[in-house]
Amino acid sequence: MKRLLLCLLLLAPLPVRAEVICLMLADARTGVVLLEEGDCDRRVTPASTFKLALAVIGHDAGLLEDAEHPVMMWQPGDPDWGGDSWRGAVSPHEWMRDSVVWYSQRLTRALGSGRFAAAVRALGYGNADVSGDPGFDNGLERAWIASSLTISGREQVEFLYRLLNRQLPVSAESMAFAESLATGHEVAGWTFHGKTGGAYPRRTDRSFNYARGWGWYTGWAERDGRRVIVVRLAQDEERHPGSPGLRSRDAVFADWAGIAARAGL
C-alpha cells in the first residue's frame, strides 16, 4: 500500500508556482471595477493579447476584411514554434485562435513603422512604444513580445471597455470585427470571449528567462445580458511546460466560481 501511494504521489502533477500580479473585473457597461487584487498598475509586455488591438488596427487600415480573409501562407523563415497550425494557410480567425505570430508580423510590416506607431498611440494602448529592442530596429517584428510595448492590467481593462463600448478612435465596424474574433469558451453558465498572451523576460545577454514567464488572460464574460471584463496577469516562479498565457486563462476558468463570488456576481 505504501508503495502504491508513493507511486501515485510521483505521478501526480506538480502544483504550478506562479505569482498573480493582477486580477481585475469591471462591469463592461459602466466601467465600474468589481474586483481588484494585486498590482494592476504594473506594466509588462502584452504578448499575444495585443492581437485584439492589432485586429482593430488592421481592419481599420483595410488589411483585414473579415474572419476568413485575407488568408496568408506561412513561408520558410517565419516563426513556426506554435506547431502545425502555424504552418500553411492562416485566416484572421485562425490567427487569433492559434495566436500566429508571423501573421501579426505581416500586418505590422504592411502598416510600416510610421502608421503602426501612430495607430497604437491613437488607441492609447499601454505605453504605446513600438520601437522594439533598443538598437535592433525590430519594432515591427516583436515590439509587443517582451520588448518595448508594455501595458498594465488596469490599462487592459480600459482598452477592453473602450472596445466593447465602441469608444476607440476607429470605425465601429473595426471594433465589432476585433470583438468577433475573440476566442469563446463556456464556463459555469458564463460565455467567455478573450485572448491569452505569454512571453518570457530577456536577460542582459538577450537569452530568455523561461522560469519567469508572464501569462495574461484578457477578455469578458457574459451571462443573462450582463458583461464583465476579466483580466488576469501572473508570472511564473519556476519553469513549467506549455504557455503561461494558457495557464492564466485556465486558472480563471478553474476558479471562476470563487472569483465571481468575490466580485459580487
Side-chain angles (χ1 to χ4, degrees):
M1 179 62 71
K2 289 183 178 179
R3 183 174 295 174
L4 176 59
L5 289 173
L6 178 60
C7 289
L8 291 174
L9 288 172
L10 290 173
L11 291 172
L14 294 174
V16 172
R17 295 182 57 191
E19 172 196 5
V20 179
I21 296 173
C22 170
L23 176 64
M24 181 176 279
L25 274 66
D27 187 286
R29 182 178 63 84
T30 65
V32 171
V33 174
L34 305 173
L35 178 68
E36 181 177 344
E37 297 176 353
D39 181 3
C40 293
D41 292 312
R42 178 179 170 187
R43 281 175 168 172
V44 306
T45 176
S48 284
T49 65
F50 180 64
K51 286 183 174 66
L52 288 173
L54 189 53
V56 171
I57 293 168
H59 187 274
D60 201 57
L63 301 175
L64 297 171
E65 301 168 31
D66 56 40
E68 302 303 327
H69 303 91
V71 172
M72 301 187 196
M73 295 294 300
W74 177 84
Q75 297 175 358
D78 287 335
D80 65 353
W81 65 78
D84 290 343
S85 63
W86 286 27
R87 305 182 191 100
V90 174
S91 67
H93 164 71
E94 292 161 333
W95 162 58
M96 190 69 67
R97 183 194 66 193
D98 300 324
S99 216
V100 182
V101 168
W102 62 258
Y103 197 104
S104 299
Q105 294 170 338
R106 298 277 180 86
L107 294 175
T108 55
R109 288 168 184 153
L111 287 165
S113 298
R115 277 208 301 169
F116 181 41
V120 176
R121 285 196 303 270
L123 294 186
Y125 189 89
N127 68 349
D129 181 354
V130 294
S131 60
D133 301 338
F136 284 84
D137 191 27
N138 60 358
L140 294 177
E141 286 71 42
R142 60 173 308 113
W144 61 96
I145 310 172
S147 187
S148 59
L149 184 63
T150 59
I151 193 168
S152 69
R154 192 181 312 280
E155 289 168 327
Q156 293 270 26
V157 169
E158 291 168 355
F159 169 75
L160 291 173
Y161 173 79
R162 289 183 293 140
L163 172 68
L164 297 176
N165 289 282
R166 305 296 187 259
Q167 294 180 4
L168 296 171
V170 296
S171 69
E173 291 78 12
S174 293
M175 289 180 277
F177 169 76
E179 179 183 338
S180 73
L181 287 188
T183 306
H185 295 86
E186 299 293 328
V187 181
W190 290 77
T191 301
F192 279 77
H193 298 276
K195 186 71 192 75
T196 60
Y200 301 94
R202 279 195 189 272
R203 300 184 178 94
T204 55
D205 65 358
R206 294 188 56 77
S207 65
F208 290 106
N209 185 350
Y210 292 107
R212 297 289 288 159
W214 288 295
W216 283 105
Y217 179 71
T218 66
W220 57 93
E222 301 177 335
R223 187 175 74 175
D224 300 331
R226 186 173 192 185
R227 272 183 167 181
V228 177
I229 296 168
V230 182
V231 168
R232 184 183 192 270
L233 170 64
Q235 186 170 26
D236 290 340
E237 296 178 348
E238 60 188 23
R239 187 167 183 170
H240 301 286
S243 164
L246 293 178
R247 289 197 300 275
S248 204
R249 179 201 67 188
D250 293 347
V252 169
F253 294 171
D255 191 32
W256 180 243
I259 293 170
R262 298 200 300 279
L265 298 175

